[in-house]
Amino acid sequence: MKFKQARTTKIYLAFPRMMFEEDFSKYNQLLLENDLGLDGLIVTNIGAIHKYKSLGLELIGDYSLNIYNHTAASFYEKQGLSIATLSLETPLLDAKETIIKSKIPIEIVVHGSPSVMYMDYDLYENTKILEPSKREDNSLIPNNVLVLVDEKAHEHPIYRDSYGRNHMTLYKELCYLPFLKELNDIGVNHFRIEASHYDTIKLRKMLRIYKEAINDLSKCEGLFHSLDSINLGFTLGAFQFI
């Protein structure tokens, strides 16, 4: 099996954020015994870096590596990363310092619904024994999706993957579109959209908008107003705390 690549498109394989021996066994068979035509790997843990850096593929560090500062970025550069994705929990001032001082490019998640909690425990299994009257009654999220309600009554969606592991996302979508120019000015040129919960129509629209913004950073503010959001709007995540 080999992926067909467009001339200007690169294809990366992203590992699960939680990997056990059985996971490594599966990826050993997939990567060591096949030529998939991949350009690189998005690595989520140091074990995967050590295991697969000998393949000669480009390694991009996922935000699950918890890279908060340029010291951490330097450490992972020595492990073989070519790009490091900044932790979602990095405050604005620390992020700026990391971007400026890092010796390798820093990637920023600028839009979407990244996982902020990853659980091996399957919450969906518990719902099988609930009475019909106890089923979900979400205000904004479809009722087939579990939500974790915080002390401010915000509904954080929880999605189940093919392994039965649960991913909790933000109750609002992350959006840094109005600030792409400022990020670019301090050295960021790797922008990432977390779109695993988007349908094809929404994904295409987001890609079109961000591509237009990157091609002309003066349009960012205007393009922001063309975005569709849920009723609660967007969030700046950790960047709103200084």
Side-chain angles (χ1 to χ4, degrees):
M1 179 176 66
K2 192 168 185 176
F3 293 105
K4 295 181 179 180
Q5 301 181 29
R7 185 174 299 176
T8 59
T9 300
K10 290 186 176 182
I11 298 175
Y12 295 80
L13 173 68
F15 290 117
R17 292 196 173 90
M18 191 181 295
M19 295 182 70
F20 300 96
E21 285 299 323
E22 61 179 300
D23 298 304
F24 279 102
S25 177
K26 292 175 182 177
Y27 282 101
N28 288 346
Q29 183 176 13
L30 181 66
L31 294 171
L32 303 181
E33 300 177 14
N34 297 278
D35 179 13
L36 301 179
L38 296 171
D39 294 286
L41 304 171
I42 299 177
V43 289
T44 55
N45 58 82
I46 195 166
I49 297 174
H50 289 165
K51 186 72 175 178
Y52 301 113
K53 66 180 179 181
S54 62
L55 294 177
L57 297 171
E58 182 183 10
L59 300 180
I60 296 177
D62 194 30
Y63 61 83
S64 60
L65 292 177
N66 297 322
I67 297 172
Y68 293 93
N69 51 52
H70 68 279
T71 302
S74 177
F75 168 80
Y76 279 109
E77 178 195 19
K78 294 175 183 176
Q79 306 309 309
L81 296 192
S82 60
I83 300 171
T85 305
L86 193 70
S87 168
L88 299 173
E89 300 178 17
T90 308
L92 180 60
L93 295 181
D94 293 334
K96 182 177 180 181
E97 181 182 44
T98 303
I99 292 163
I100 293 172
K101 292 185 177 181
S102 175
K103 295 180 181 179
I104 59 173
I106 296 295
E107 180 174 272
I108 302 289
V109 178
V110 294
H111 199 98
S113 299
S115 296
V116 293
M117 185 183 295
Y118 187 36
M119 297 165 278
D120 190 37
Y121 185 73
D122 187 1
L123 298 177
Y124 279 82
E125 281 295 313
N126 290 340
T127 65
K128 294 180 179 179
I129 61 173
L130 292 179
E131 299 174 8
S133 61
K134 302 292 185 180
R135 301 289 181 179
E136 293 293 293
D137 186 21
N138 304 333
S139 59
L140 295 171
I141 309 300
N143 285 333
N144 64 332
V145 177
L146 291 180
V147 298
L148 189 152
V149 182
D150 64 22
E151 68 278 4
K152 296 182 179 179
H154 297 147
E155 297 179 347
H156 299 264
I158 298 175
Y159 297 95
R160 187 178 192 243
D161 66 20
S162 58
Y163 296 95
R165 298 166 187 162
N166 290 185
H167 305 249
M168 188 183 80
T169 64
L170 298 168
Y171 79 99
K172 294 181 181 180
E173 286 188 357
L174 198 68
C175 182
Y176 293 164
L177 180 57
F179 314 108
L180 289 192
K181 184 180 186 304
E182 286 76 9
L183 289 170
N184 182 256
D185 287 345
I186 61 173
V188 181
N189 52 25
H190 292 83
F191 302 114
R192 175 169 162 184
I193 297 175
E194 281 285 317
S196 59
H197 308 307
Y198 292 171
D199 59 28
T200 303
I201 294 175
K202 184 171 184 178
L203 176 58
R204 285 176 175 169
K205 180 177 181 179
M206 289 298 173
L207 292 175
R208 177 185 59 77
I209 288 173
Y210 272 86
K211 183 176 180 180
E212 185 175 351
I214 290 170
N215 288 336
D216 185 351
L217 292 169
S218 67
K219 294 182 177 181
C220 290
E221 187 67 32
L223 289 169
F224 172 71
H225 296 294
S226 69
L227 289 175
D228 295 326
S229 73
I230 59 175
N231 296 344
L232 293 173
F234 297 108
T235 179
L236 293 175
F239 277 16
Q240 61 191 314
F241 302 109
I242 298 178

